[in-house]
């Protein structure tokens, strides 16, 4: 697999995982009441609260892992961009003249 396809695959997976974390987070925050039901399982949109929490937590862990991979794959670009940003600020500092 070439570098472009790998980057695209990682970014596509990150997008899907982000959407999964966002949707489950909003459902758990807005739809599912807090607290533990007494003696029975309560379902929300066909899944129990424990299932919603499991999906949310696992997808968040996977998002963190894939973000780390993404940063590793782009470390050269990140270093170059950071150097360019700070180099331009240093150059601009000496170019400022008063009128």
């Amino acid at each position: 697999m070439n570098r472009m396809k790998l980057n695209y695959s990682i970014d596509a997976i990150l997008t899907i995982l982000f959407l999964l974390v966002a949707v489950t987070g909003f459902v758990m925050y807005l739809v599912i009441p807090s607290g533990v039901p007494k003696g029975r399982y309560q379902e929300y949109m066909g899944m129990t609260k424990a299932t919603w929490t499991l999906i949310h937590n696992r997808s968040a862990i996977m998002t963190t892992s894939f973000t780390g991979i993404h940063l590793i794959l782009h470390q050269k670009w990140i270093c170059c961009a950071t150097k360019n940003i700070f180099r331009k600020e240093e150059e601009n500092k000496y170019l400022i003249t008063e009128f």
Side-chain angles (χ1 to χ4, degrees):
M1 180 179 287
N2 66 19
R3 182 91 173 192
M4 185 180 76
K5 286 183 182 179
L6 179 62
N7 284 334
Y8 183 83
S9 299
I10 296 293
D11 291 346
I13 291 169
L14 271 172
T15 301
I16 292 167
L17 288 170
F18 169 77
L19 291 173
L20 190 58
V21 170
V23 169
T24 56
F26 281 123
V27 167
M28 289 189 319
Y29 182 73
L30 298 174
V31 177
I32 300 174
S34 61
V36 179
K38 293 184 179 181
R40 60 188 168 122
Y41 290 103
Q42 293 180 340
E43 291 190 3
Y44 307 95
M45 293 192 268
M47 293 187 291
T48 64
K49 184 177 181 179
T51 304
W52 281 102
T53 304
L54 179 72
I55 292 170
H56 181 75
N57 291 344
R58 296 277 169 93
S59 56
I61 291 168
M62 290 174 58
T63 300
T64 304
S65 301
F66 276 95
T67 300
I69 294 168
H70 177 83
L71 291 173
I72 290 169
L73 290 173
H74 291 84
Q75 68 182 356
K76 185 176 180 181
W77 179 87
I78 292 168
C79 289
C80 289
T82 304
K83 287 178 185 176
N84 285 337
I85 288 169
F86 286 113
R87 184 178 311 132
K88 287 180 184 177
E89 286 181 4
E90 287 295 320
E91 290 172 2
N92 291 338
K93 186 169 71 173
Y94 298 113
L95 294 177
I96 297 174
T97 57
E98 293 183 26
F99 290 101

